């Protein structure tokens, strides 16, 4: 620089700089394009995975949203079902007679042939008839029109899940059974309405009768318990740690532990709950209340972390403003900081609860995967939850449970999506600008 | 130091509101305020000037114990208000802050209605027995902050929807609503445009009839325009404290002179 005059140096150095920028520009633009390419590829991959998942679940699951029913004219024979004998009575015989009316060739005194004939009806058909007659005993001696589910094998047949061109010995329904079913279909007695039983029935050994009512109510009680415990405790802990606790080694230690707690595998919480809640405290097994307590243990760290983040994000100027007019620490927190942090807290809580709703492992360990055929009346009754119900059905050998498992997954996903949508709605609705 | 004493005596014929004696502030290991002695007069505007980081805001925050909220901050020495040490164990900072109002650098209204912003202080201190009294306090405070005519028709709209200058006057109204005796202002006009600044300065001039006003400012012109007394801080020391006219025309300390003439700061 010293041996050339400034007037020479300036244009030269400026020229070389421009040249250098121009040369490096191509390389930099290329890098940016590569990065963008990777990003787009990652998104496409993620979306296609999601689509594959949803397609596979929906394509299996949609079968379970309808159920094949059969309509029968049942003569409630007072000889088989005497009014004074209720709720006992020969309901199965009455149903067999109703079926026999369409197949005069079948001898109803032949037990094997009768069983073959009535196998088309769901095992629950007689109980449906019984409940109807018990509710209204004046039906005895009359003919009632009854619409009952058909059993799983025929349901599969009707939905085309049993291939008619499969060799008979590899098929669940033999040729004679198919012929009987087709005859009933020709008579217009077979229909495939919406499967409301999926929501209104509790679990059953028979897929055509199995529903999610018990699991839904169980999950509801468990989540309610979880919310009632983890929400106040989590917020309380977060407020104390964020606003009041002295900053020292002990509070650092607590903070690290809470963060670690959020990362503990859920099965460990299940073992803890099994030992503490059921072992020591003697709380009932399989109860949604205990499930809720367990889920609360898992949700609490999530809520504490979300709440602390929300409290931290309230601008210090608001605290100063409140302190400046003479608000006490307590008033600053409860009248200004907490209301402003609420949307963030609620979002975190709902996401924590959505996680809890889908949690399976801890519930398995406290026995919420029991086979329970009635919906729980209280949080202390035995019940299943949605994810454990999926687990049970996925484990069941009957063909009908394959589609019902997928249907239950769809129900669970619907609830999860609804909860996440609510979280997003709350966040947008109450978001404030400063 | 002798000079300082002398000036204090000159000030003796007016009533001293706050006097700091040997005041020290530490932020952890940093000695932020060193040996500050100052007497702040009642019904007077006192300006704190000095380069950035000189401790003027820190000292202002000692006067209503806002430094208490910072864990590492420690205050030593005495600050007497009406003869009572505000750092005495008997004094509750909450009560003190009701008596010493504060206006911050950036307008910070609560994200609530204009009415709720002004009525918040009186409400928590129980200054109004009923709604009518509260309405009266809100109106009086907004009038004092020269904001009433602009907002009287929309008291229920959010305070955050006002312009910057209006927000700052709202903050002043909020501060005066609790009937303080001292009003601390930490660079109240630094985030405002010149017109809003002029309005705030005019307001400060009116407020001194009722309050002892202490204002921290970066602008020497502002200090010269609004204050009667000026204190110059440098590196945590109170270098010079005198009548504003004297500080700007005939500073005693060479550092003050350098700052005023623009050579440091």
């Amino acid at each position: 620089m010293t041996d050339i005059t400034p007037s020479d140096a300036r244009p030269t150095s400026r020229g070389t700089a421009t040249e250098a920028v121009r040369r490096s520009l191509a390389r930099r633009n290329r890098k940016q394009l590569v990065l963008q390419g990777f990003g787009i590829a990652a998104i496409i991959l993620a979306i296609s995975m999601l689509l594959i998942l949803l397609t596979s679940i929906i394509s299996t699951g949609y079968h379970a949203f309808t159920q094949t029913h059969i309509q029968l004219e049942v003569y409630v024979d007072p000889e088989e079902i005497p009014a004074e004998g209720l709720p006992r009575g020969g309901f199965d015989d009455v149903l067999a007679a109703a079926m026999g009316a369409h197949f005069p060739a079948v001898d109803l005194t032949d037990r094997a042939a009768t069983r073959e004939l009535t196998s088309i009806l769901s095992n629950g058909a007689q109980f449906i008839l019984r409940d109807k007659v018990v509710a209204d005993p004046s039906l005895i001696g009359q003919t009632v029109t009854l619409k009952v589910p058909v059993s799983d094998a025929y349901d599969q047949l009707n939905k085309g899940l049993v291939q008619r061109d499969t060799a008979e010995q590899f098929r669940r329904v033999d040729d004679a059974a198919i012929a009987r079913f087709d005859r009933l279909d020709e008579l217009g007695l077979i229909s495939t309405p919406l499967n409301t039983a999926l929501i209104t029935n509790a679990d059953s050994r028979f897929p055509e009768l199995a529903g999610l009512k018990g699991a839904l109510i169980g999950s509801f009680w468990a989540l309610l318990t979880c919310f009632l415990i983890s929400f106040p405790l989590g917020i309380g802990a977060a407020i104390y740690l964020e606003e009041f606790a002295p900053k020292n080694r002990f509070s650092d230690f607590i903070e690290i532990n809470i963060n670690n707690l959020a990362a503990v595998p859920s099965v460990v919480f299940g073992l803890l709950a099994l030992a503490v809640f059921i072992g020591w405290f003697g709380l009932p097994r399989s109860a949604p209340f205990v499930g809720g307590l367990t889920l609360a243990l898992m949700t609490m760290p999530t809520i504490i972390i979300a709440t602390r983040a929300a409290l931290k994000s309230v601008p210090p100027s608001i605290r100063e403003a409140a302190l400046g007019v003479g608000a006490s620490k307590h008033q600053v927190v409860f009248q200004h900081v907490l209301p402003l942090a609420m949307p963030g807290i609620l979002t975190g809580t709902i996401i924590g609860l959505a996680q809890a709703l889908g949690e399976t492992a801890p519930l398995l360990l406290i026995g919420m995967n029991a086979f329970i055929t009635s919906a729980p009346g209280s949080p202390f009754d035995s019940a299943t939850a949605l994810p454990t119900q999926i687990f049970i059905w996925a484990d069941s050998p009957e063909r009908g449970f394959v589609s019902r498992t997928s249907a239950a997954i769809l129900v669970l996903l619907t609830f999860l999506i609804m909860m996440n949508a609510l979280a997003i709605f709350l966040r947008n609705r109450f978001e404030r600008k400063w | 130091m002798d000079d300082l004493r002398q000036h204090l005596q000159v000030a003796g014929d007016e009533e001293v509101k706050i006097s700091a004696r040997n005041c020290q502030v530490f932020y952890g290991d940093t000695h932020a305020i060193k040996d500050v002695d100052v007497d702040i007069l009642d019904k007077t505007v006192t300006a704190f000037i000095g380069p950035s980081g000189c401790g003027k805001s820190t000292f202002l925050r000692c006067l209503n114990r806002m430094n208490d909220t910072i864990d590492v901050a420690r205050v030593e020495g005495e600050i007497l208000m009406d003869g009572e040490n505000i750092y005495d164990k008997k004094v509750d900072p909450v009560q003190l802050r009701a008596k010493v109002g504060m206006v911050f650098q950036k307008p910070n209204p609560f994200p609530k209605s204009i009415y709720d912003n002004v009525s918040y202080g009186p409400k928590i201190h129980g200054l109004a027995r009923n709604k009518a009294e509260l309405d009266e306090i809100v109106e009086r405070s907004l009038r004092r902050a020269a904001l009433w005519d602009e907002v009287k028709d929309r008291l229920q709209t959010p305070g955050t929807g006002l312009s910057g200058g209006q927000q700052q006057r709202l903050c002043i109204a909020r501060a005066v609503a609790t009937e303080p005796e001292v009003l601390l202002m930490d660079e109240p006009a630094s985030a405002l445009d010149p017109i809003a600044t002029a309005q705030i300065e005019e307001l400060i001039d009116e407020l001194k009839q009722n309050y002892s006003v202490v204002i921290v400012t970066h602008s020497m012109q502002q200090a010269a325009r609004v204050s009667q007394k000026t204190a110059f801080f440098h590196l945590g020391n109170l270098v010079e404290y005198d009548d504003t006219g004297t500080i700007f025309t005939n500073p005693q300390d060479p550092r003050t002179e350098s700052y005023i003439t623009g050579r440091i700061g």
Side-chain angles (χ1 to χ4, degrees):
Chain A
M1 273 304 220
T2 47
D3 56 352
I4 50 171
T5 60
S7 57
D8 287 339
R10 277 176 64 206
T12 317
S13 67
R14 191 188 285 165
T16 50
T18 316
E19 179 63 19
V21 168
R22 200 181 56 76
R23 264 185 282 118
S24 73
L25 208 56
R27 185 166 42 84
R28 285 187 277 176
N29 285 343
R30 205 162 50 241
K31 276 189 175 174
Q32 188 176 334
L33 275 178
V34 168
L35 186 68
Q36 276 180 1
F38 273 123
I40 291 168
I43 288 172
I44 289 173
L45 197 66
I47 288 180
S48 53
M49 288 294 174
L50 187 69
L51 278 180
I52 291 169
L53 176 81
L54 281 179
T55 317
S56 104
I57 295 175
I58 292 174
S59 63
T60 341
Y62 83 94
H63 292 300
F65 288 108
T66 55
Q67 166 66 39
T68 312
H69 278 64
I70 180 168
Q71 188 174 312
L72 290 174
E73 299 294 323
V74 184
Y75 172 60
V76 188
D77 189 349
E79 280 179 23
E80 290 280 3
I81 306 164
E84 57 276 12
L86 287 176
R88 288 165 182 282
F91 295 101
D92 46 348
D93 294 335
V94 171
L95 283 169
M99 284 294 289
H102 299 295
F103 300 98
V106 177
D107 175 14
L108 290 179
T109 53
D110 178 353
R111 293 190 69 87
T114 312
R115 199 158 49 234
E116 192 115 296
L117 186 62
T118 52
S119 74
I120 200 165
L121 297 177
S122 160
N123 192 276
Q126 48 178 315
F127 303 114
I128 295 171
L129 177 63
R130 183 194 65 190
D131 292 346
K132 204 163 179 161
V133 173
V134 167
D136 182 9
S138 70
L139 291 175
I140 293 172
Q142 296 186 26
T143 302
V144 290
T145 307
L146 197 66
K147 207 171 175 185
V148 291
V150 303
S151 63
D152 183 39
Y154 293 89
D155 186 39
Q156 303 288 328
L157 175 72
N158 186 39
K159 287 172 180 167
L161 295 169
V162 170
Q163 305 296 332
R164 284 164 191 255
D165 48 13
T166 315
E168 192 178 7
Q169 68 265 35
F170 300 123
R171 216 186 307 125
R172 288 182 65 208
V173 278
D174 55 26
D175 290 341
I178 290 181
R180 279 196 299 274
F181 184 81
D182 287 344
R183 181 170 156 66
L184 289 169
D185 203 3
E186 276 162 27
L187 290 169
L189 298 174
I190 304 294
S191 59
T192 315
L194 200 64
N195 184 14
T196 50
L198 188 68
I199 301 295
T200 56
N201 278 11
D203 198 12
S204 167
R205 271 190 303 125
F206 305 103
E208 70 272 13
L209 298 174
L212 289 168
K213 189 183 179 192
L216 285 170
I217 296 178
S219 268
F220 170 77
W221 285 124
L223 272 195
L224 186 70
T225 311
C226 170
F227 172 77
L228 288 180
I229 290 170
S230 61
F231 188 68
L233 281 183
I235 289 187
I239 287 176
Y240 177 75
L241 287 173
E242 195 58 38
E243 303 286 337
F244 295 102
K247 300 277 174 286
N248 54 28
R249 281 176 160 211
F250 184 64
S251 57
D252 285 349
F253 177 74
I254 290 177
E255 181 165 357
I256 290 169
N257 274 291
I258 287 172
N259 290 339
N260 283 338
L261 214 56
V264 169
S266 55
V267 67
V268 177
F269 284 107
L271 281 170
L272 176 81
L274 181 62
V276 176
F277 298 141
I278 295 177
W280 286 358
F281 297 163
L283 290 169
R285 266 165 224 279
S286 308
F289 177 72
V290 181
L293 288 178
T294 316
L295 296 175
L297 288 179
M298 295 187 45
T299 313
M300 210 153 19
T302 314
I303 293 182
I304 292 176
I305 292 168
T307 305
R308 292 189 66 176
L311 291 174
K312 251 189 211 135
S313 70
V314 173
S317 66
I318 296 294
R319 293 164 206 268
E320 285 192 327
L323 283 172
V325 293
S328 65
K329 183 91 196 174
H330 167 267
Q331 286 169 324
V332 172
V333 171
F334 284 92
Q335 294 173 357
H336 296 282
V337 178
L338 198 56
L340 293 176
M342 233 354 144
I345 296 173
L346 287 180
T347 308
T349 305
I350 292 169
I351 286 169
L353 287 178
Q355 263 174 24
L357 177 64
E359 203 54 71
T360 323
L363 300 184
L364 296 181
L365 281 162
I366 59 158
M368 284 190 78
N369 57 339
F371 174 67
I372 295 149
T373 55
S374 62
S378 81
F380 298 95
D381 292 345
S382 293
T384 55
L386 275 175
T388 50
Q389 192 66 60
I390 291 169
F391 179 83
I392 297 168
W393 283 359
D395 238 14
S396 303
E398 288 84 354
R399 285 288 302 275
F401 280 122
V402 176
S403 58
R404 273 173 173 74
T405 305
S406 295
I409 292 172
L410 285 175
V411 171
L412 178 61
L413 284 180
T414 308
F415 276 101
L416 290 177
I417 290 170
M418 270 160 47
M419 288 173 83
N420 286 335
L422 181 67
I424 292 169
F425 170 76
L426 284 175
R427 193 168 56 213
N428 293 341
R429 175 76 178 73
F430 293 106
E431 197 175 41
R432 281 176 198 275
K433 305 247 184 300
W434 280 282
Chain B
M1 213 47 132
D2 281 343
D3 286 343
L4 199 60
R5 290 272 176 267
Q6 218 177 345
H7 295 307
L8 291 179
Q9 276 159 17
V10 172
D13 54 324
E14 289 168 283
E15 199 187 332
V16 174
K17 187 69 189 170
I18 299 173
S19 56
R21 289 289 168 267
N22 200 19
C23 181
Q24 323 271 347
V25 179
F26 301 88
Y27 281 125
D29 295 331
T30 317
H31 198 171
I33 294 286
K34 300 160 192 161
D35 288 325
V36 169
D37 287 70
V38 69
D39 285 80
I40 291 163
L41 306 180
D42 203 7
K43 305 204 192 311
T44 306
V45 178
T46 308
F48 290 174
I49 61 168
S52 294
C54 68
K56 53 194 190 301
S57 284
T58 303
F59 183 66
L60 188 78
R61 286 163 158 269
C62 289
L63 302 181
N64 68 345
R65 292 185 60 173
M66 279 301 263
N67 286 332
D68 287 18
T69 57
I70 302 162
D71 282 338
V72 294
R74 189 157 49 85
V75 180
E76 286 177 8
E78 280 188 329
I79 295 177
L80 304 168
M81 181 190 264
D82 298 325
E84 191 189 12
N85 186 5
I86 62 170
Y87 279 89
D88 194 289
K89 279 197 176 63
K90 284 180 296 194
V91 175
D92 191 321
V94 169
Q95 201 182 357
L96 175 72
R97 287 180 202 135
K99 240 163 75 173
V100 184
M102 187 153 189
V103 177
F104 298 86
Q105 181 171 1
K106 210 176 143 237
N108 57 353
F110 300 131
K112 300 180 178 193
S113 72
I114 295 171
Y115 185 93
D116 288 345
N117 261 284
V118 182
S119 64
Y120 180 69
K123 249 189 217 159
I124 59 172
H125 297 301
L127 299 184
R129 278 191 302 272
N130 51 45
K131 180 82 171 70
E133 274 190 22
L134 199 59
D135 289 348
E136 203 185 303
I137 292 175
V138 169
E139 178 173 349
R140 189 170 62 225
S141 308
L142 284 169
R143 280 190 193 283
R144 277 195 192 159
L147 192 61
W148 174 252
D149 291 331
E150 290 162 58
V151 301
K152 64 183 172 196
D153 299 324
R154 47 172 174 153
L155 290 176
Q156 294 309 325
T157 58
T160 42
L162 298 172
S163 74
Q166 287 174 324
Q167 286 190 15
Q168 194 61 301
R169 277 180 283 151
L170 178 62
C171 293
I172 293 173
R174 182 176 66 191
V176 299
T178 56
E179 297 292 335
E181 294 161 24
V182 180
L183 206 52
L184 308 178
M185 297 186 161
D186 192 352
E187 302 184 33
S190 66
L192 304 181
D193 64 66
I195 293 170
T197 303
Q199 284 173 322
I200 298 282
E201 287 178 4
E202 208 173 302
L203 181 57
I204 291 170
D205 202 49
E206 278 168 35
L207 290 170
K208 78 164 191 284
Q209 292 167 7
N210 297 302
Y211 311 101
S212 165
V213 180
V214 185
I215 173 170
V216 165
T217 176
H218 264 301
S219 154
M220 282 176 285
Q221 290 84 344
Q222 188 173 58
R225 282 194 299 264
V226 300
S227 71
Q228 287 77 56
K229 305 286 276 186
T230 295
F232 171 64
F233 286 80
H234 187 241
L235 301 176
N237 293 304
L238 175 60
V239 175
E240 197 165 347
Y241 176 55
D242 209 326
D243 289 337
T244 300
T246 316
I247 291 275
F248 282 98
T249 53
N250 186 22
Q252 304 295 310
D253 194 287
R255 285 171 291 178
T256 315
E257 196 187 349
S258 310
Y259 180 69
I260 287 166
T261 52
R263 270 176 287 161
I264 57 171

